[in-house]
Amino acid sequence: MNKKNKLILIAIFLLSFILRFYKLGINPPSLYWDEVSLGYNAYSILKTGKDEFGRFMPLDAFVAFGDYKPVGYIYATIIPIAIFGLNEFSVRFASALAGVFMVFLTYFLVKKLLNDEKISLVASFLMCVSPWSLQLSRAAFEANLAAFFNLLGIYFFIKGIKEKGFWLIFSSIGFVLSFYTFNSNRILAPIFILILFAVYTKEIIAVKKYAVISFILGLVLMAPVVSYFSSRESRLRFNEVNIFSDLNTVVQANDRINLDGGSRLAKIIHHRFVGHAFNYLKHYFDNFSAKFLFISGDGNPRLSIQSVGELYLWELPFFLYGLFILLAGIKDKNKLFLLLWFFAAPIPAATARETPHALRIVSILPVPQIICAIGFIGIYNFFNNTNKRKIFTYAAGLLFILNFSYYLYNYYVVFPKKWAGEWVDGYKQAVSYVSENYNSYDQIFFTNYYGRPYIYFLFYLKYDPQKYNSLVARTRDWYGNWQVLGFDKFRFGDNLTESPGSLVFVPKGSTINGMSKIDKISGNSGLIYYDVYAK
Amino acid sequence: MNKIKTILIFIIITLAAFAVRFYQLGINPPSLDWDEASIGYNAYTILKTGKDEFGNFLPLSIRSFNDYKASVYVYLTIIPVVILGLTEFSIRFTSAFSGSLTVIIFYFIFKKILEFDSRLTNKNTIALIAMAFLALSPWHIQFSRVAFEANLALFFVACGLLFFLNYVEKKSTFALPAAILFWGISLFTYHAQKIFLPVFIVGLIIIFRKKLLKNLSKTSLIISFIFLSVILFLLLRSSVVGGQSRFFSSSIFSERKTIIEYGENLLNSYLSHFDINFLFILGDWQVRHHAPQVAQLLLVQLPLVIIGLVFLLKFAFKANNVIFLWLLLAPLPAVFGKDSPNAVRSLLMIPILEFISACGIIAMIEYIKKPFLIFLFVTLVCANFLFYLHMYFIHMPWENSQNWQYGYKQVVDYVNKNQNKYERIIVTDAYDQPYIYFLLYEQPMQILFNNGEFYKGFGKYIFRPINWQEDKNLKNTLLVGTPDQIGQEKVIKQIDSLSGKPLFRIVAL
């Protein structure tokens, strides 16, 4: 590696750090409730060793809202909270850092796989500026941390078979961590391990001692979480989102079989599994639609800024050419592995109704960027003299800067204003209003309209976890979701009986008879969210 | 492959192409949709009076539902109407017949294109497999079995290309004028051609720039020039007569947006035509554009198309120029539409996709060389095709009859038999354009020229929503409404879809 490339690499790392940490605490404009819950549970573990429900150091899952969050992100957040305190920045810290590390790993992985300095540099640069990676690195998304662990597992696997078998142990640890961090990775980790073993069979046999050790180590480390899979909670969670519970498919299959007289052949070709298979394929290929990848990204405004795709439009031609190079060179193991990685990543996500889904398939990163880099360098090498190459690089660079500026403008100027509501803006201000007036009222009523207010109270008041657990009143519905009715002076709900000495928060525009409006609360975006009444 | 064998296979494929396009043509799809009904009625009035539905003498574009349809389909349909009478079969005949011929034309086009590259050894095999794929293509069959102008236009574009390829290959006086003539006709067959064809021709000129002038003779230049002037003259004339209103009313330009949003929309709808879900899994959102559970292509063609694409690109065959020029431009007519992907406007894609599938098979034979795998794929293709036929002929009419406007013919039949008993007949317009079915199916048929208000009613007929609370007090009236509009009381006749869902309820007051 020459000096120039070293400088470029350092610049890329620096940029990836800036892009992920600059204004991390205030853009996205506020914390979504999942982020808050991760943060408070980490805080609770830090202070008491127990979670929000008083369970000591859970390893299978955190109950949280009843959605049973995997444990990885919460434990990873303890250290930043210990250092920076309980705030937006420290909650998002683990994800942002994972994003930076992924840029590093991309460079080293591509170098190991393809042994091409230029492709490695371009790939890590594209990862550095990737809207997909940036969006998910800049909020507390468990999936992003899991994608990092997944990449770590793959990187050490490749290092293990190409250098020393010893590294396979780290690979195993990487996969186990991804397994503990995000639900999709509980299916993906075994799939990726299977793919790696199938593609690199010969190499793995050469280091079989370490392979066996790592494998057994992995199994042992996964043991604590196994009991959770057979629990009612995990099945409920799956049924809630999966496509196979669609009744129309069954009705349609029965209609078709009846029309064909119920023959055995009809029962086979019109079997509901055929319908389910088609549904599955539809959801699977949704993740490869041009609209999702290149035009507007995930439809959820928390997962994409809506004006740029998951990849830059600029990358489209390079992506296509790179894909072609991979397909045409499929006999090369490393290329085959990249392709299999790319096409395996959406396998678990496609069982759910909401597709395409940038979050659930994020373990696909950095393959799309590697593909674009291969395509880019492919076209670059296609020009055979230095002048033409220079022109190509400058022209492509100029177009990229246009595309990148458009992204930055939208991310920092348009996005925080336009989608503040999606990030449940306004809670922070409401809670700080409450804490200033805490002593003046006997009871404080707060609306459920924007969802899960209690966790914001805990978070922004830095409420003592032990005290919370002894004061809280909560109920649980059939699906296992917990609803907190109140603790301390706080009561959450919308049908409230007010007594003298109470402070009431209602959604903007609602009125309460017999009380006087004393204030209104606006969020970071400047929009008004609450009217405050008192008696 | 020897010659006799080639001819034999060619004949078999041709027969198969005709067979799947003509079998049950009049009864499946189970009913004429509005456009087909309109095309049929206009062909009939022009045959009988020389004037279209509105009394315009030999019009260049047919006003129809104020969408000013291109007219070639209507004029060509006069012939089957003369011979076979005005039936569903004869209205669709033009499309089915030209669709079958398209399959033949493409065999010759593929063969000519493949000639460009000397590295390919089994050109004839590729051309035959591609022809077979096109003959049995769900997308192409779907549009050959309905009176779709787009399908006829594809035929003319193909004819033009074949003559053009002839022209660049060898000296011939008539090849160039014939190419211009057929391309010209295609412009009057389907409006969307006006977007594809000019760009396509420019592309061809660039590709063949070195051969372009080599075979040009004075005679062919003069004839071409005459054809070109006539075409341009007619084109200008027809565009003056308000022809484009449909284009703008259903295009994305009817909404206000920023330039970047327009660009995003155009690009998105262009790229959506290459979406795997559109091509192989779900098909067009409009159920009339494909059979149930089968998309625009067979599912098993997905790997074939990918392998074929890699094969074509990897070896950079000279044939690629024309193939990819066509494929990349084919969705252009569809990008301005609101509902994309759109299988009608992008129909031009299909012959090329079938050609690429054929290349997939060839690549497997030549490079993968695993007989078992090839056998497996051929079996899968056959099985998938039989599944498609089953879905098309058995399940499509049953599941989708209401989407094909099934029920209108039955309503008109009933009303015709009983109309003397009533002073007025009120028919719901909930399924749109009922008037055209009353004109088309009226027995005995008499020609009434549309004064532009027929969609509201003519003669005894009134077309409007039924309001049961008010309308039930009318006297001497026959009410035809939807199940939403008319409850079950007093119903003297109910018309159900083929799957038994009530579509129309008729009440006598």
Side-chain angles (χ1 to χ4, degrees):
Chain A
M1 189 162 152
N2 63 33
K3 206 172 168 190
K4 193 178 137 204
N5 285 350
K6 236 177 223 165
L7 279 175
I8 294 174
L9 196 59
I10 291 169
I12 290 172
F13 292 161
L14 219 62
L15 182 63
S16 71
F17 199 81
I18 295 168
L19 286 173
R20 279 157 185 81
F21 281 93
Y22 173 66
K23 290 196 172 179
L24 180 63
I26 56 169
N27 190 22
S30 69
L31 290 181
Y32 189 61
W33 56 60
D34 284 324
E35 301 184 87
V36 182
S37 174
L38 294 172
Y40 186 73
N41 275 291
Y43 178 76
S44 176
I45 294 279
L46 175 69
K47 294 285 168 194
T48 65
K50 292 174 186 167
D51 77 347
E52 168 191 347
F53 284 77
R55 292 175 69 211
F56 182 74
M57 299 283 255
L59 280 179
D60 50 352
F62 281 81
V63 181
F65 304 122
D67 54 348
Y68 291 82
K69 294 186 192 306
V71 301
Y73 196 95
I74 292 173
Y75 286 110
T77 302
I78 293 175
I79 299 169
I81 286 180
I83 301 171
F84 305 111
L86 185 58
N87 56 38
E88 291 88 351
F89 179 83
S90 48
V91 169
R92 288 171 173 168
F93 185 87
S95 186
L97 196 65
V100 174
F101 285 153
M102 282 179 84
V103 177
F104 280 79
L105 278 179
T106 302
Y107 172 81
F108 294 110
L109 175 73
V110 178
K111 226 175 147 197
K112 285 252 141 28
L113 274 179
L114 304 175
N115 197 22
D116 183 312
E117 183 69 31
K118 279 189 198 126
I119 295 178
S120 315
L121 280 174
V122 175
S124 73
F125 174 74
L126 291 178
M127 191 57 194
C128 161
V129 295
S130 154
W132 201 340
S133 170
L134 288 175
Q135 187 73 21
L136 301 189
S137 297
R138 293 183 55 96
F141 286 119
E142 300 147 304
N144 192 53
L145 185 63
F148 161 66
F149 288 138
N150 177 65
L151 178 58
L152 200 68
I154 289 170
Y155 170 72
F156 279 119
F157 187 97
I158 301 293
K159 198 174 166 74
I161 55 169
K162 297 209 168 172
E163 291 173 11
K164 250 187 175 170
F166 165 74
W167 294 111
L168 289 178
I169 293 170
F170 290 87
S171 167
S172 168
I173 291 171
F175 281 122
V176 168
L177 287 174
S178 81
F179 189 87
Y180 272 102
T181 308
F182 189 59
N183 284 324
S184 292
N185 290 74
R186 295 185 170 165
I187 303 166
L188 276 180
I191 292 176
F192 282 136
I193 292 167
L194 207 69
I195 290 173
L196 283 163
F197 272 68
V199 174
Y200 297 105
T201 317
K202 251 187 228 158
E203 292 84 342
I204 208 76
I205 287 170
V207 289
K208 52 179 176 286
K209 193 177 82 188
Y210 280 111
V212 171
I213 294 173
S214 320
F215 196 78
I216 292 170
L217 178 73
L219 287 181
V220 171
L221 290 177
M222 282 178 196
V225 82
V226 169
S227 64
Y228 169 73
F229 291 132
S230 51
S231 69
R232 178 169 174 272
E233 287 79 18
S234 78
R235 266 176 294 128
L236 276 173
R237 180 94 183 112
F238 180 70
N239 286 340
E240 208 179 313
V241 293
N242 92 88
I243 55 170
F244 305 112
S245 49
D246 181 12
L247 264 183
N248 285 335
T249 313
V250 180
V251 172
Q252 194 177 51
N254 290 341
D255 280 352
R256 284 177 182 167
I257 292 169
N258 286 339
L259 186 65
D260 291 344
S263 71
R264 188 172 294 171
L265 183 65
K267 279 180 184 160
I268 296 170
I269 61 173
H270 298 308
H271 196 279
R272 63 178 189 279
F273 288 170
V274 176
H276 286 320
F278 266 86
N279 280 346
Y280 180 81
L281 286 176
K282 182 249 170 210
H283 287 284
Y284 176 80
F285 285 116
D286 268 349
N287 292 300
F288 299 117
S289 78
K291 187 177 179 191
F292 170 67
L293 290 178
F294 296 102
I295 310 284
S296 56
D298 195 300
N300 180 339
R302 281 190 306 279
L303 304 183
S304 147
I305 58 170
Q306 308 298 311
S307 39
V308 172
E310 295 304 326
L311 306 170
Y312 291 106
L313 183 57
W314 174 87
E315 289 173 276
L316 176 57
F318 307 121
F319 180 81
L320 291 176
Y321 191 57
L323 203 58
F324 163 69
I325 292 177
L326 286 185
L327 283 167
I330 204 163
K331 281 181 182 158
D332 174 347
K333 274 182 188 182
N334 301 311
K335 288 180 178 158
L336 174 65
F337 170 63
L338 283 173
L339 278 174
L340 289 174
W341 181 354
F342 186 71
F343 288 109
I347 286 175
T351 58
R353 286 190 207 102
E354 310 87 2
T355 51
H357 204 293
L359 192 66
R360 294 195 186 128
I361 70 166
V362 67
S363 287
I364 205 172
L365 294 182
V367 187
Q369 286 73 24
I370 298 174
I371 295 175
C372 292
I374 292 172
F376 185 87
I377 296 302
I379 295 174
Y380 178 86
N381 289 336
F382 187 74
F383 299 107
N384 40 21
N385 74 48
T386 348
N387 255 343
K388 277 186 189 162
R389 284 181 175 184
K390 241 182 202 160
I391 293 170
F392 165 72
T393 314
Y394 282 125
L398 187 73
L399 287 174
F400 171 75
I401 288 170
L402 284 177
N403 209 166
F404 187 48
S405 321
Y406 182 70
Y407 165 76
L408 287 179
Y409 169 76
N410 274 286
Y411 187 85
Y412 285 97
V413 181
V414 181
F415 172 72
K417 284 234 167 68
K418 194 169 176 186
W419 300 110
E422 290 290 326
W423 292 90
V424 263
D425 188 20
Y427 270 128
K428 185 179 185 176
Q429 288 76 4
V431 175
S432 94
Y433 187 91
V434 167
S435 81
E436 281 161 27
N437 298 287
Y438 180 83
N439 293 325
S440 325
Y441 298 94
D442 300 331
Q443 273 191 315
I444 294 159
F445 291 94
F446 203 93
T447 175
N448 263 336
Y449 181 79
Y450 296 105
R452 294 167 176 168
Y454 84 95
I455 196 73
Y456 289 89
F457 277 76
L458 293 175
F459 185 92
Y460 284 116
L461 295 174
K462 300 192 173 58
Y463 204 84
D464 175 18
Q466 232 155 3
K467 195 172 158 202
Y468 165 70
N469 233 313
S470 61
L471 295 176
V472 65
R474 52 190 161 203
T475 60
R476 196 178 191 200
D477 67 12
W478 189 86
Y479 293 100
N481 292 319
W482 284 100
Q483 184 154 15
V484 172
L485 306 172
F487 64 93
D488 204 320
K489 286 183 184 176
F490 316 120
R491 294 289 167 271
F492 306 105
D494 288 298
N495 298 318
L496 306 164
T497 47
E498 315 80 23
S499 45
S502 49
L503 182 68
V504 181
F505 288 75
V506 290
K508 182 195 159 200
S510 331
T511 50
I512 304 180
N513 295 329
M515 296 188 82
S516 49
K517 185 171 157 184
I518 58 165
D519 216 333
K520 53 193 182 218
I521 308 277
S522 54
N524 289 335
S525 59
L527 290 170
I528 297 166
Y529 294 99
Y530 302 95
D531 286 337
V532 186
Y533 286 81
K535 194 173 186 176
Chain B
M1 210 184 290
N2 65 40
K3 208 158 187 188
I4 295 170
K5 219 166 147 190
T6 304
I7 292 173
L8 206 65
I9 293 173
F10 177 85
I11 290 172
I12 291 171
I13 296 172
T14 308
L15 288 177
F18 272 92
V20 291
R21 281 161 182 74
F22 278 94
Y23 174 68
Q24 291 195 343
L25 182 62
I27 56 166
N28 189 25
S31 164
L32 295 179
D33 72 12
W34 313 282
D35 290 330
E36 295 185 278
S38 175
I39 285 170
Y41 184 70
N42 278 287
Y44 184 78
T45 60
I46 291 176
L47 169 67
K48 293 293 176 190
T49 67
K51 295 173 187 168
D52 78 354
E53 174 194 342
F54 291 87
N56 302 320
F57 184 71
L58 294 182
L60 259 179
S61 49
I62 309 287
R63 183 172 156 191
S64 187
F65 309 121
N66 287 334
D67 54 352
Y68 292 90
K69 293 179 167 63
S71 58
V72 174
Y73 195 103
V74 173
Y75 285 109
L76 282 181
T77 303
I78 292 173
I79 303 164
V81 169
V82 168
I83 301 170
L84 303 161
L86 183 55
T87 63
E88 287 87 357
F89 183 87
S90 56
I91 292 171
R92 288 171 176 167
F93 180 89
T94 314
S95 186
F97 190 70
S98 65
S100 309
L101 294 183
T102 305
V103 174
I104 298 172
I105 302 280
F106 267 103
Y107 168 74
F108 294 106
I109 290 178
F110 292 145
K111 241 184 112 178
K112 280 230 147 38
I113 292 175
L114 291 164
E115 289 299 327
F116 296 147
D117 204 299
S118 51
R119 282 175 297 165
L120 282 157
T121 47
N122 37 17
K123 294 166 189 163
N124 210 21
T125 318
I126 301 179
L128 277 176
I129 297 176
M131 179 192 180
F133 267 120
L134 185 58
L136 306 178
S137 156
W139 195 350
H140 194 247
I141 291 171
Q142 189 76 18
F143 287 80
S144 295
R145 294 180 57 95
V146 182
F148 268 116
E149 299 143 324
N151 187 51
L152 183 62
L154 169 60
F155 167 72
F156 288 124
V157 176
C159 291
L161 178 61
L162 184 59
F163 279 108
F164 180 81
L165 292 173
N166 258 312
Y167 161 75
V168 289
E169 187 194 22
K170 56 174 187 257
K171 276 225 167 359
S172 148
T173 318
F174 294 104
L176 185 62
I180 291 171
L181 179 67
F182 279 112
W183 281 338
I185 293 173
S186 83
L187 294 177
F188 297 96
T189 309
Y190 186 46
H191 289 310
Q193 282 311 323
K194 290 170 195 164
I195 302 168
F196 169 80
L197 207 53
V199 196
F200 182 61
I201 291 173
V202 169
L204 284 178
I205 290 172
I206 294 170
I207 291 173
F208 295 105
R209 59 192 177 279
K210 284 177 188 151
K211 297 179 182 170
L212 212 54
L213 299 177
K214 209 177 67 190
N215 296 328
L216 198 60
S217 72
K218 213 179 248 171
T219 339
S220 80
L221 193 66
I222 292 168
I223 304 174
S224 305
F225 186 74
I226 294 169
F227 280 175
L228 215 54
S229 341
V230 174
I231 290 164
L232 284 176
F233 171 73
L234 291 176
L235 217 51
L236 282 173
R237 252 196 63 143
S238 75
S239 68
V240 176
V241 199
Q244 317 304 337
S245 64
R246 167 95 181 271
F247 174 76
F248 285 104
S249 74
S250 67
S251 85
I252 57 165
F253 295 114
S254 50
E255 292 163 30
R256 287 182 72 93
K257 284 184 184 145
T258 66
I259 289 177
I260 287 180
E261 282 170 323
Y262 275 134
E264 265 176 16
N265 279 347
L266 289 179
L267 198 69
N268 186 28
S269 61
Y270 176 79
L271 292 173
S272 69
H273 292 90
F274 297 98
D275 196 286
I276 291 172
N277 275 332
F278 168 64
L279 294 175
F280 302 100
I281 314 285
L282 298 177
D284 198 327
W285 63 272
Q286 172 56 268
V287 297
R288 289 201 304 273
H289 295 168
H290 60 94
Q293 201 81 87
V294 178
Q296 306 308 131
L297 281 82
L298 301 172
L299 180 57
V300 292
Q301 284 181 273
L302 172 57
L304 291 180
V305 166
I306 293 171
I307 296 170
L309 270 176
V310 174
F311 170 75
L312 282 171
L313 289 169
K314 186 168 181 178
F315 296 97
F317 297 111
K318 285 186 183 137
N320 286 1
N321 290 338
V322 181
I323 290 296
F324 284 102
L325 175 72
W326 182 307
L327 181 64
L328 293 176
L329 295 182
L332 274 191
V335 299
F336 302 101
K338 264 185 205 161
D339 36 87
S340 63
N342 181 319
V344 191
R345 293 186 182 194
S346 61
L347 181 66
L348 289 163
M349 291 172 79
I350 189 58
I352 305 302
L353 289 172
E354 300 298 356
F355 174 80
I356 295 171
S357 294
C359 290
I361 294 267
I362 291 296
M364 287 169 87
I365 294 172
E366 293 226 320
Y367 296 94
I368 301 178
K369 286 184 183 155
K370 286 188 178 132
F372 169 74
L373 209 63
I374 294 157
F375 175 74
L376 181 76
F377 257 97
V378 173
T379 315
L380 281 177
V381 170
C382 293
N384 203 168
F385 179 69
L386 289 176
F387 178 73
Y388 158 70
L389 286 184
H390 174 72
M391 293 311 289
Y392 186 92
F393 285 102
I394 310 291
H395 292 279
M396 189 181 81
W398 195 84
E399 285 179 24
N400 299 340
S401 61
Q402 64 278 14
N403 301 81
W404 290 96
Q405 313 317 316
Y406 182 84
Y408 267 135
K409 185 179 184 180
Q410 290 72 9
V411 166
V412 178
D413 269 358
Y414 181 85
V415 169
N416 267 326
K417 278 182 205 138
N418 299 289
Q419 60 166 321
N420 293 332
K421 301 184 219 159
Y422 307 99
E423 256 175 49
R424 62 183 164 271
I425 295 154
I426 304 177
V427 181
T428 178
D429 57 359
Y431 302 116
D432 294 331
Q433 312 293 4
Y435 88 91
I436 194 69
Y437 294 92
F438 280 87
L439 289 174
L440 182 73
Y441 288 126
E442 182 138 70
Q443 298 298 340
M445 197 155 167
Q446 49 195 5
I447 289 174
L448 292 170
F449 286 116
N450 190 340
N451 57 10
E453 302 282 306
F454 271 26
Y455 68 95
K456 291 188 207 157
F458 61 88
K460 280 183 180 178
Y461 302 117
I462 300 165
F463 306 116
R464 64 165 173 80
I466 306 287
N467 182 343
W468 181 245
Q469 290 312 321
E470 288 173 20
D471 292 341
K472 70 181 174 189
N473 303 320
L474 294 169
K475 294 276 170 292
N476 293 326
T477 304
L478 193 65
L479 284 183
V480 182
T482 67
D484 293 342
Q485 295 166 341
I486 297 181
Q488 296 198 345
E489 49 175 329
K490 290 192 195 171
V491 172
I492 53 168
K493 169 98 182 158
Q494 175 170 309
I495 288 154
D496 294 340
S497 76
L498 291 175
S499 61
K501 210 178 122 207
L503 295 173
F504 290 98
R505 287 193 180 133
I506 302 178
V507 174
L509 297 169

